[in-house]
Amino acid sequence: MTSPAFPARTSGRRFHFFFNRAWQALWVLPLPAWLLLFFAVPLGLLVAISFWSVVNYRLTPDATLSAWRYVLGLDFLWASFWRSYGLSMASAVAISLLAFPASYAMAFVAAPRQRLVLLGLAIAPFFTSYLVRIYSWQVFLTEGGVISSIVQALGGKGESLLNTYFALFLGHATLALPVVLILQTIALANVDRTGISAAANLGARPGAILFRVILPAARPGLTLGLLFAFLLSYAEFVSASYLGGGTFQTLPILVTDLVRAGQQWPRAAVVSLLMIASLLVTAFVTVLWAYREKG
């Protein structure tokens, strides 16, 4: 004889099951929607435009490879690519090394409350305009500026430091250093202290603890900091224009020049896709290395 209450309990379980699944989907939904709206759709549009043509300075839907053939045949494209890639990677490494002592101090020396205050100070530059910060560097770097005057006072020539690789690096550091500082501090602060204590109790020296315990444990976070520094520097346009003076042809400068020269959006789209592809490959390899298992 069938109990009348059993179907009701089964129906209730099914309702709770579907309700929980719908509730979980509701929380997950914003991420794919965001990726679709802000990444997939613009990327698809960029790919489509790369096959369009420009007729009488007007963008015309087409299916031609002329923009790809033109851009990939430019000698200075590859010079700009390797210059941008090398500059960004060198800046990322230098910024990471520059930020590490401060990150280490915040993670291991500062008390938790002091660490919060210091991290707040690291975020403070984002409350000001990046363009204004770049402009302010010109006061220091230009001929007759702060650094030039100090060098002249010491008997040097005091030449302008604008339009140099050093100026470009300062621009990259102005943008990426706070981000790297925060990511490194979080990674180091989350290192398990028991491993450090065990190594110290076994007589390991501070250098050995740093290189054999702390750095391997914090490797994913430190690598992500390096990656973010590279990503920000690679797509950076403002410092290349206002501190580099356009002297160094980087890929963002090339994209701007192509757009300004006869509204060549298809050619600019090809350069942009080249940048995106190299960024994705670099990010994939870096993340793979950061999370690889110990051999």
Side-chain angles (χ1 to χ4, degrees), residues 8-254:
R9 286 202 298 271
T10 304
S11 176
R13 289 196 197 100
R14 286 179 179 174
F15 172 76
H16 285 295
F17 175 78
F18 286 114
F19 177 80
N20 289 333
R21 288 303 178 99
W23 179 251
Q24 291 170 4
L26 191 64
W27 282 97
V28 174
L29 187 61
L31 179 60
W34 183 87
L35 288 174
L36 181 67
L37 185 62
F38 294 105
F39 182 72
V41 171
L43 183 62
L45 182 61
L46 203 62
V47 172
I49 289 176
S50 71
F51 295 103
W52 291 3
S53 57
V54 176
V55 180
N56 295 328
Y57 298 98
R58 296 187 65 178
L59 196 60
T60 305
D62 203 345
T64 176
L65 290 171
S66 60
W68 286 89
R69 283 195 292 265
Y70 177 83
V71 171
L72 296 181
L74 293 173
D75 291 335
F76 60 84
L77 165 76
W78 299 108
S80 301
F81 173 80
W82 291 115
R83 183 181 298 109
S84 297
Y85 198 91
L87 268 174
S88 304
M89 190 57 74
S91 295
V93 172
I95 291 167
S96 297
L97 293 175
L98 192 64
F100 186 79
S103 304
Y104 185 91
M106 284 196 285
F108 292 105
V109 180
R113 185 171 296 180
Q114 294 172 331
R115 187 184 308 148
L116 287 176
V117 173
L118 293 171
L119 284 174
L121 292 174
I123 297 172
F126 292 110
F127 291 96
T128 60
S129 167
Y130 173 59
L131 185 60
V132 171
R133 283 183 281 156
I134 290 299
Y135 268 128
S136 67
W137 273 119
Q138 291 186 341
V139 177
F140 291 87
L141 300 175
T142 188
E143 189 173 0
V146 176
I147 296 177
S148 172
S149 300
I150 293 173
V151 173
Q152 284 179 346
L154 296 174
K157 292 183 179 178
E159 297 178 347
S160 172
L161 292 174
L162 288 174
N163 308 333
T164 63
Y165 285 116
F166 177 69
L168 274 180
F169 168 72
L170 287 179
H172 292 172
T174 301
L175 179 64
L177 188 62
V179 178
V180 176
L181 197 63
I182 293 167
L183 291 175
Q184 284 187 353
T185 303
I186 293 173
L188 292 171
N190 287 325
V191 172
D192 188 4
R193 292 328 196 240
T194 56
I196 300 173
S197 300
N201 292 335
L202 290 172
R205 295 182 176 179
I209 294 175
L210 174 63
F211 286 103
R212 295 186 180 182
V213 179
I214 296 175
L215 291 183
R219 185 181 63 194
L222 298 179
T223 308
L224 288 179
L226 178 75
L227 178 60
F228 268 90
F230 172 76
L231 296 179
L232 292 172
S233 300
Y234 193 52
E236 214 285 321
F237 170 76
V238 176
S239 63
S241 298
Y242 295 99
L243 296 181
T247 305
F248 308 105
Q249 181 77 293
T250 59
L251 289 181
I253 294 285
L254 181 58

Side-chain angles (χ1 to χ4, degrees), residues 230-292:
F230 172 76
L231 296 179
L232 292 172
S233 300
Y234 193 52
E236 214 285 321
F237 170 76
V238 176
S239 63
S241 298
Y242 295 99
L243 296 181
T247 305
F248 308 105
Q249 181 77 293
T250 59
L251 289 181
I253 294 285
L254 181 58
V255 170
T256 307
D257 290 345
L258 286 172
V259 172
R260 288 175 177 170
Q263 302 287 326
Q264 285 296 340
W265 289 97
R267 296 173 183 175
V270 173
V271 178
S272 300
L273 289 172
L274 181 66
M275 288 183 65
I276 292 172
S278 56
L279 281 174
L280 290 176
V281 170
T282 304
F284 177 76
V285 172
T286 305
V287 171
L288 203 65
W289 181 83
Y291 289 96
R292 83 183 195 281

